[in-house]
Amino acid sequence: MESYYAVLEAIAGAPGDGVLAIIISVEGSAYQKEGTCMWIGANGETVGLLSGGCLEEAAAAYAREILANRQAAAVSFDLRTEDDWSWGQGAGCNGLVHIWLEPVTSDAKLDWLALKRCLDRGEHVLMVRSILYPDERPFFQSETGEQFGGCRRTPHREWREWLHKTPFYQGRSGLYEVDGETFYVQHFWPKPRLVVFGAGSDAPPLVSAAKAAGFSVTVSDWRPAFCHPSHVPDADAFVMGFPHETVPRLRLNERDFVVIMTHQFERDRELVSLLADMPLAYLGVLGPRRRTDRLFPSGSTPPFVRSPAGLSIGARGPYEIAVSITAELISVLRRHGAEAAQ
Protein backbone atom coordinates (compact mmCIF):
# COMPACT_ATOMS: atom_id res chain seq x y z
CA MET A 1 0.00 0.00 0.00
CA GLU A 2 1.30 3.45 -0.88
CA SER A 3 2.12 5.37 2.29
CA TYR A 4 0.55 8.61 1.11
CA TYR A 5 -3.01 7.31 1.41
CA ALA A 6 -2.76 7.02 5.20
CA VAL A 7 -0.71 10.22 5.42
CA LEU A 8 -3.32 12.24 3.54
CA GLU A 9 -6.03 10.83 5.82
CA ALA A 10 -3.93 11.97 8.79
CA ILE A 11 -3.49 15.46 7.33
CA ALA A 12 -7.23 15.73 6.72
CA GLY A 13 -7.97 14.78 10.33
CA ALA A 14 -5.12 16.69 11.98
CA PRO A 15 -6.25 19.31 14.51
CA GLY A 16 -3.29 21.57 13.76
CA ASP A 17 -0.10 22.02 11.79
CA GLY A 18 2.50 19.41 11.04
CA VAL A 19 5.32 18.32 8.76
CA LEU A 20 5.23 16.01 5.78
CA ALA A 21 8.44 13.99 5.46
CA ILE A 22 9.13 12.49 2.02
CA ILE A 23 12.02 10.32 0.92
CA ILE A 24 13.31 12.15 -2.18
CA SER A 25 16.43 10.14 -2.94
CA VAL A 26 18.09 6.88 -1.92
CA GLU A 27 21.70 6.08 -2.73
CA GLY A 28 22.33 2.38 -2.31
CA SER A 29 19.72 0.23 -0.58
CA ALA A 30 17.19 1.18 2.08
CA TYR A 31 14.05 -0.19 3.70
CA GLN A 32 11.84 2.35 1.90
CA LYS A 33 12.18 4.03 -1.48
CA GLU A 34 11.56 7.44 -3.04
CA GLY A 35 8.04 8.71 -2.56
CA THR A 36 7.54 7.15 0.87
CA CYS A 37 5.80 9.63 3.18
CA MET A 38 5.39 10.18 6.90
CA TRP A 39 3.18 12.67 8.75
CA ILE A 40 4.56 14.31 11.88
CA GLY A 41 1.93 16.37 13.68
CA ALA A 42 2.69 19.31 15.92
CA ASN A 43 1.09 17.30 18.71
CA GLY A 44 3.63 14.51 18.22
CA GLU A 45 1.32 12.17 16.29
CA THR A 46 3.04 10.24 13.49
CA VAL A 47 1.61 8.21 10.62
CA GLY A 48 3.76 6.18 8.25
CA LEU A 49 7.30 4.84 8.32
CA LEU A 50 10.41 6.12 6.55
CA SER A 51 12.49 3.11 7.56
CA GLY A 52 12.31 0.01 9.68
CA GLY A 53 12.37 2.25 12.76
CA CYS A 54 15.84 3.77 12.35
CA LEU A 55 14.93 7.30 11.22
CA GLU A 56 11.52 8.17 12.59
CA GLU A 57 12.62 9.65 15.92
CA ALA A 58 15.33 11.77 14.30
CA ALA A 59 12.97 12.93 11.56
CA ALA A 60 10.46 14.00 14.23
CA ALA A 61 13.16 16.05 15.94
CA TYR A 62 14.01 17.82 12.69
CA ALA A 63 10.30 18.38 12.09
CA ARG A 64 10.05 20.51 15.22
CA GLU A 65 12.69 22.84 13.76
CA ILE A 66 10.90 22.94 10.42
CA LEU A 67 7.66 23.96 12.11
CA ALA A 68 9.39 26.61 14.16
CA ASN A 69 11.06 28.14 11.08
CA ARG A 70 8.11 27.56 8.71
CA GLN A 71 10.54 26.61 5.93
CA ALA A 72 11.06 23.35 4.09
CA ALA A 73 14.47 21.69 4.11
CA ALA A 74 16.28 18.50 3.18
CA VAL A 75 18.11 16.26 5.65
CA SER A 76 20.23 13.19 4.99
CA PHE A 77 20.76 9.99 6.94
CA ASP A 78 23.69 7.68 6.26
CA LEU A 79 22.69 4.07 6.96
CA ARG A 80 25.78 2.53 5.44
CA THR A 81 27.79 2.13 8.64
CA GLU A 82 27.07 -1.18 10.34
CA ASP A 83 27.52 -0.24 13.98
CA ASP A 84 25.23 0.77 16.83
CA TRP A 85 26.36 4.41 16.72
CA SER A 86 25.09 5.02 13.20
CA TRP A 87 21.61 5.99 12.03
CA GLY A 88 21.15 2.43 10.86
CA GLN A 89 21.75 1.07 14.38
CA GLY A 90 23.43 -1.99 12.95
CA ALA A 91 20.68 -2.62 10.39
CA GLY A 92 23.20 -2.61 7.55
CA CYS A 93 20.81 -1.06 5.02
CA ASN A 94 23.80 0.25 3.03
CA GLY A 95 21.94 3.33 1.87
CA LEU A 96 22.15 7.10 2.06
CA VAL A 97 18.60 8.42 2.49
CA HIS A 98 17.67 12.01 1.66
CA ILE A 99 14.42 13.27 3.18
CA TRP A 100 12.47 16.42 2.38
CA LEU A 101 10.59 18.01 5.28
CA GLU A 102 7.66 20.15 4.17
CA PRO A 103 5.74 22.27 6.71
CA VAL A 104 1.98 21.80 6.42
CA THR A 105 0.34 24.89 7.88
CA SER A 106 -3.13 26.28 7.25
CA ASP A 107 -2.51 27.50 3.67
CA ALA A 108 -0.44 24.51 2.58
CA LYS A 109 -2.95 22.09 4.07
CA LEU A 110 -5.48 23.15 1.45
CA ASP A 111 -3.15 21.85 -1.27
CA TRP A 112 -2.82 18.43 0.34
CA LEU A 113 -6.56 18.23 0.83
CA ALA A 114 -7.02 19.07 -2.86
CA LEU A 115 -4.61 16.24 -3.67
CA LYS A 116 -6.66 13.87 -1.53
CA ARG A 117 -9.86 14.87 -3.35
CA CYS A 118 -8.24 14.17 -6.72
CA LEU A 119 -7.11 10.72 -5.60
CA ASP A 120 -10.54 10.00 -4.17
CA ARG A 121 -11.97 10.80 -7.62
CA GLY A 122 -9.56 8.33 -9.18
CA GLU A 123 -7.19 10.87 -10.72
CA HIS A 124 -3.42 10.65 -11.15
CA VAL A 125 -1.62 13.75 -9.81
CA LEU A 126 1.94 14.93 -10.44
CA MET A 127 3.80 17.05 -7.89
CA VAL A 128 6.96 18.97 -8.75
CA ARG A 129 8.93 20.66 -6.00
CA SER A 130 12.01 22.89 -6.36
CA ILE A 131 14.91 21.75 -4.19
CA LEU A 132 16.95 24.89 -4.85
CA TYR A 133 14.20 27.24 -3.66
CA PRO A 134 12.57 25.79 -0.50
CA ASP A 135 10.36 28.87 -0.07
CA GLU A 136 8.69 28.19 -3.42
CA ARG A 137 5.36 26.37 -3.25
CA PRO A 138 5.01 22.99 -4.96
CA PHE A 139 3.32 22.53 -8.33
CA PHE A 140 0.44 20.06 -8.53
CA GLN A 141 -1.55 19.04 -11.60
CA SER A 142 -4.11 16.28 -11.98
CA GLU A 143 -4.61 14.27 -15.15
CA THR A 144 -7.85 16.19 -15.75
CA GLY A 145 -5.94 19.49 -15.82
CA GLU A 146 -6.65 20.85 -12.34
CA GLN A 147 -3.66 22.82 -11.02
CA PHE A 148 -3.03 23.81 -7.43
CA GLY A 149 -0.18 24.32 -4.99
CA GLY A 150 0.58 27.99 -5.49
CA CYS A 151 3.68 27.57 -7.67
CA ARG A 152 3.99 30.80 -9.65
CA ARG A 153 6.44 29.70 -12.32
CA THR A 154 5.36 28.53 -15.76
CA PRO A 155 5.28 24.73 -15.81
CA HIS A 156 8.06 23.13 -17.83
CA ARG A 157 7.08 21.03 -20.85
CA GLU A 158 8.65 17.98 -19.21
CA TRP A 159 6.30 18.22 -16.23
CA ARG A 160 3.20 17.71 -18.35
CA GLU A 161 4.90 14.94 -20.31
CA TRP A 162 5.63 13.10 -17.06
CA LEU A 163 2.00 13.49 -16.06
CA HIS A 164 0.34 12.41 -19.30
CA LYS A 165 2.82 9.89 -20.74
CA THR A 166 3.50 7.80 -17.65
CA PRO A 167 1.79 4.38 -17.64
CA PHE A 168 -0.51 3.63 -14.73
CA TYR A 169 1.45 3.11 -11.51
CA GLN A 170 4.80 3.17 -13.33
CA GLY A 171 6.13 6.68 -12.76
CA ARG A 172 9.36 6.85 -10.77
CA SER A 173 9.40 9.43 -8.02
CA GLY A 174 12.75 11.06 -7.36
CA LEU A 175 15.10 13.91 -8.25
CA TYR A 176 15.16 15.18 -11.84
CA GLU A 177 17.12 17.97 -13.47
CA VAL A 178 15.39 20.38 -15.86
CA ASP A 179 17.25 23.32 -17.40
CA GLY A 180 20.02 23.00 -14.84
CA GLU A 181 17.70 23.02 -11.81
CA THR A 182 16.95 20.05 -9.57
CA PHE A 183 13.34 19.20 -8.82
CA TYR A 184 11.73 16.50 -6.75
CA VAL A 185 8.98 14.81 -8.78
CA GLN A 186 6.33 12.55 -7.28
CA HIS A 187 3.51 10.64 -8.90
CA PHE A 188 0.43 10.25 -6.72
CA TRP A 189 -1.80 7.44 -7.96
CA PRO A 190 -5.38 6.70 -6.91
CA LYS A 191 -5.96 3.37 -5.25
CA PRO A 192 -6.35 0.68 -7.92
CA ARG A 193 -9.86 -0.74 -7.96
CA LEU A 194 -10.53 -4.45 -7.59
CA VAL A 195 -14.01 -5.68 -8.49
CA VAL A 196 -14.90 -9.08 -7.06
CA PHE A 197 -17.84 -10.76 -8.77
CA GLY A 198 -19.30 -13.27 -6.34
CA ALA A 199 -19.65 -12.84 -2.59
CA GLY A 200 -19.53 -16.42 -1.42
CA SER A 201 -17.79 -17.59 1.73
CA ASP A 202 -14.34 -17.33 0.10
CA ALA A 203 -14.80 -13.68 -0.93
CA PRO A 204 -14.19 -11.99 2.47
CA PRO A 205 -10.57 -13.27 2.79
CA LEU A 206 -9.72 -11.98 -0.69
CA VAL A 207 -11.40 -8.63 -0.04
CA SER A 208 -9.50 -8.23 3.24
CA ALA A 209 -6.14 -9.19 1.73
CA ALA A 210 -6.53 -6.94 -1.30
CA LYS A 211 -7.66 -4.00 0.81
CA ALA A 212 -4.66 -4.43 3.12
CA ALA A 213 -2.46 -4.35 0.01
CA GLY A 214 -3.89 -0.97 -1.01
CA PHE A 215 -6.72 -1.82 -3.38
CA SER A 216 -10.13 -0.22 -3.24
CA VAL A 217 -12.44 -3.23 -3.35
CA THR A 218 -15.94 -3.36 -4.81
CA VAL A 219 -18.05 -6.47 -4.34
CA SER A 220 -20.80 -7.38 -6.79
CA ASP A 221 -23.38 -10.12 -6.28
CA TRP A 222 -27.06 -10.67 -7.03
CA ARG A 223 -27.87 -11.96 -3.52
CA PRO A 224 -28.75 -9.23 -0.97
CA ALA A 225 -27.60 -11.25 2.05
CA PHE A 226 -24.14 -11.75 0.53
CA CYS A 227 -23.67 -8.35 -1.09
CA HIS A 228 -23.73 -6.59 2.25
CA PRO A 229 -21.24 -5.18 4.82
CA SER A 230 -22.36 -7.73 7.40
CA HIS A 231 -21.00 -10.48 5.15
CA VAL A 232 -17.98 -8.69 3.61
CA PRO A 233 -17.08 -6.00 6.15
CA ASP A 234 -13.84 -4.86 4.48
CA ALA A 235 -15.38 -4.03 1.10
CA ASP A 236 -15.31 -0.36 0.12
CA ALA A 237 -18.42 -0.54 -2.08
CA PHE A 238 -21.20 -2.90 -3.08
CA VAL A 239 -23.02 -3.20 -6.41
CA MET A 240 -25.96 -5.58 -6.21
CA GLY A 241 -27.59 -7.17 -9.22
CA PHE A 242 -27.12 -9.67 -12.01
CA PRO A 243 -24.08 -9.30 -14.30
CA HIS A 244 -25.99 -7.70 -17.18
CA GLU A 245 -27.16 -5.04 -14.70
CA THR A 246 -23.99 -4.46 -12.71
CA VAL A 247 -21.26 -4.51 -15.37
CA PRO A 248 -22.54 -1.35 -17.17
CA ARG A 249 -22.98 0.44 -13.83
CA LEU A 250 -19.39 -0.27 -12.80
CA ARG A 251 -17.91 1.57 -15.82
CA LEU A 252 -14.85 -0.65 -15.88
CA ASN A 253 -11.68 0.58 -17.60
CA GLU A 254 -8.03 -0.26 -18.24
CA ARG A 255 -7.05 0.53 -14.65
CA ASP A 256 -9.47 -1.94 -13.07
CA PHE A 257 -8.73 -5.40 -11.72
CA VAL A 258 -11.48 -8.03 -11.84
CA VAL A 259 -11.82 -11.45 -10.23
CA ILE A 260 -14.73 -13.75 -11.13
CA MET A 261 -15.62 -16.14 -8.32
CA THR A 262 -19.38 -16.72 -8.32
CA HIS A 263 -19.06 -20.54 -8.22
CA GLN A 264 -21.99 -20.71 -10.63
CA PHE A 265 -21.01 -21.80 -14.12
CA GLU A 266 -23.71 -19.96 -16.07
CA ARG A 267 -23.16 -16.79 -14.06
CA ASP A 268 -19.42 -16.99 -14.73
CA ARG A 269 -20.11 -17.55 -18.43
CA GLU A 270 -22.31 -14.45 -18.54
CA LEU A 271 -19.60 -12.40 -16.85
CA VAL A 272 -16.91 -13.64 -19.20
CA SER A 273 -19.03 -12.71 -22.22
CA LEU A 274 -19.51 -9.19 -20.84
CA LEU A 275 -15.90 -8.64 -19.73
CA ALA A 276 -13.73 -10.41 -22.30
CA ASP A 277 -13.57 -7.45 -24.71
CA MET A 278 -12.94 -4.82 -22.05
CA PRO A 279 -9.39 -3.41 -21.71
CA LEU A 280 -8.96 -4.39 -18.07
CA ALA A 281 -5.69 -4.32 -16.15
CA TYR A 282 -6.40 -7.81 -14.86
CA LEU A 283 -9.08 -10.44 -15.37
CA GLY A 284 -8.85 -13.56 -13.23
CA VAL A 285 -11.23 -16.49 -12.96
CA LEU A 286 -11.31 -18.75 -9.92
CA GLY A 287 -11.27 -22.47 -10.58
CA PRO A 288 -9.43 -25.04 -12.71
CA ARG A 289 -8.26 -24.07 -16.18
CA ARG A 290 -10.41 -26.78 -17.76
CA ARG A 291 -13.52 -25.21 -16.27
CA THR A 292 -12.50 -21.74 -17.45
CA ASP A 293 -11.89 -23.07 -20.99
CA ARG A 294 -15.52 -24.15 -21.11
CA LEU A 295 -16.69 -20.61 -20.32
CA PHE A 296 -15.48 -19.35 -23.71
CA PRO A 297 -17.21 -20.17 -27.02
CA SER A 298 -13.86 -21.18 -28.51
CA GLY A 299 -13.33 -23.73 -25.74
CA SER A 300 -9.99 -22.13 -24.89
CA THR A 301 -9.10 -19.45 -22.37
CA PRO A 302 -7.55 -16.33 -23.98
CA PRO A 303 -3.97 -15.61 -22.85
CA PHE A 304 -4.91 -12.35 -21.13
CA VAL A 305 -7.23 -14.16 -18.69
CA ARG A 306 -5.55 -15.45 -15.53
CA SER A 307 -6.84 -18.91 -14.79
CA PRO A 308 -6.69 -20.25 -12.26
CA ALA A 309 -6.49 -16.82 -10.65
CA GLY A 310 -3.49 -16.34 -8.39
CA LEU A 311 0.20 -17.18 -8.35
CA SER A 312 1.10 -20.85 -8.22
CA ILE A 313 2.19 -21.25 -4.59
CA GLY A 314 0.33 -24.45 -3.78
CA ALA A 315 -2.41 -22.51 -1.99
CA ARG A 316 -5.10 -24.44 -0.14
CA GLY A 317 -8.27 -23.01 1.34
CA PRO A 318 -9.78 -19.51 1.09
CA TYR A 319 -7.09 -17.65 3.02
CA GLU A 320 -4.12 -19.06 1.13
CA ILE A 321 -5.93 -18.61 -2.19
CA ALA A 322 -6.63 -15.00 -1.20
CA VAL A 323 -2.91 -14.50 -0.60
CA SER A 324 -2.00 -16.03 -3.98
CA ILE A 325 -4.52 -13.87 -5.86
CA THR A 326 -3.47 -10.71 -4.03
CA ALA A 327 0.17 -11.47 -4.83
CA GLU A 328 -0.71 -11.79 -8.52
CA LEU A 329 -2.63 -8.50 -8.42
CA ILE A 330 0.42 -6.77 -6.94
CA SER A 331 2.69 -8.38 -9.51
CA VAL A 332 0.55 -7.09 -12.38
CA LEU A 333 0.19 -3.66 -10.77
CA ARG A 334 3.96 -3.31 -10.38
CA ARG A 335 4.59 -4.80 -13.83
CA HIS A 336 6.81 -7.43 -12.23
CA GLY A 337 8.36 -9.59 -14.92
CA ALA A 338 7.66 -9.85 -18.63
CA GLU A 339 4.50 -11.92 -18.20
CA ALA A 340 2.85 -9.31 -15.97
CA ALA A 341 3.65 -6.57 -18.44
CA GLN A 342 1.66 -8.23 -21.22
Side-chain angles (χ1 to χ4, degrees):
M1 178 177 179
E2 300 295 343
S3 59
Y4 48 76
Y5 302 135
V7 165
L8 290 172
E9 289 286 351
I11 292 175
D17 298 341
V19 171
L20 179 62
I22 308 174
I23 297 179
I24 59 173
S25 178
V26 174
E27 299 175 35
S29 61
Y31 184 77
Q32 301 276 29
K33 299 300 181 183
E34 292 89 347
T36 302
C37 302
M38 176 181 174
W39 167 252
I40 305 163
N43 60 359
E45 176 195 11
T46 63
V47 174
L49 290 172
L50 298 173
S51 68
C54 311
L55 306 179
E56 285 69 20
E57 186 175 346
Y62 278 110
R64 289 191 286 270
E65 297 180 23
I66 296 296
L67 270 182
N69 297 329
R70 291 294 197 270
Q71 181 169 310
V75 295
S76 300
F77 299 93
D78 193 342
L79 307 178
R80 294 171 293 190
T81 304
E82 297 187 15
D83 60 56
D84 290 336
W85 299 100
S86 68
W87 288 112
Q89 298 178 351
C93 292
N94 297 318
L96 179 60
V97 181
H98 304 279
I99 297 174
W100 186 263
L101 298 169
E102 183 89 27
V104 180
T105 54
S106 54
D107 290 342
K109 185 175 182 178
L110 297 176
D111 298 330
W112 298 102
L113 295 180
L115 169 61
K116 183 178 182 300
R117 287 193 297 272
C118 288
L119 296 181
D120 290 343
R121 292 195 300 264
E123 299 172 15
H124 168 210
V125 178
L126 184 79
M127 180 189 77
V128 182
R129 215 260 179 254
S130 173
I131 300 300
L132 182 61
Y133 302 106
D135 287 334
E136 186 176 288
R137 298 274 293 274
F139 168 85
F140 292 89
Q141 183 171 330
S142 75
E143 62 182 299
T144 59
E146 180 182 354
Q147 291 185 17
F148 50 97
C151 180
R152 296 182 178 178
R153 70 168 75 199
T154 302
H156 289 273
R157 172 180 53 82
E158 290 87 346
W159 299 0
R160 291 198 171 94
E161 289 181 354
W162 295 333
L163 174 64
H164 294 297
K165 295 185 178 181
T166 301
F168 184 56
Y169 248 85
Q170 298 308 299
R172 186 188 72 83
S173 297
L175 298 178
Y176 291 81
E177 188 169 298
V178 179
D179 294 339
E181 184 178 350
T182 300
F183 296 92
Y184 173 67
V185 176
Q186 177 148 355
H187 293 269
F188 292 95
W189 296 100
K191 287 186 178 182
R193 182 171 66 156
L194 168 65
V195 178
V196 177
F197 286 101
S201 58
D202 54 351
L206 173 59
V207 171
S208 298
K211 183 170 183 174
F215 288 81
S216 174
V217 187
T218 296
V219 171
S220 181
D221 199 288
W222 63 95
R223 297 162 291 189
F226 287 0
C227 196
H228 193 273
S230 61
H231 179 61
V232 195
D234 286 333
D236 296 287
F238 295 89
V239 179
M240 193 177 68
F242 294 101
H244 70 275
E245 300 169 325
T246 59
V247 170
R249 283 157 52 193
L250 285 163
R251 297 183 179 180
L252 298 163
N253 59 55
E254 67 278 1
R255 293 181 177 180
D256 288 322
F257 294 69
V258 173
V259 174
I260 298 174
M261 50 189 304
T262 72
H263 297 285
Q264 293 195 14
F265 187 82
E266 291 304 324
R267 203 70 70 207
D268 284 359
R269 175 180 281 172
E270 182 182 1
L271 282 163
V272 161
S273 68
L274 292 168
L275 300 172
D277 293 330
M278 291 187 176
L280 303 171
Y282 173 96
L283 176 57
V285 181
L286 197 70
R289 181 66 175 234
R290 291 189 302 274
R291 178 185 183 275
T292 304
D293 287 341
R294 292 168 50 217
L295 296 174
F296 292 88
S298 65
S300 178
T301 302
F304 62 85
V305 176
R306 306 299 179 109
S307 177
L311 296 182
S312 180
I313 60 173
R316 296 182 180 180
Y319 292 94
E320 291 184 7
I321 292 172
V323 170
S324 74
I325 295 175
T326 302
E328 187 170 59
L329 298 176
I330 294 170
S331 179
V332 172
L333 181 68
R334 305 294 183 187
R335 300 293 197 274
H336 179 71
E339 181 184 355
Q342 292 178 356

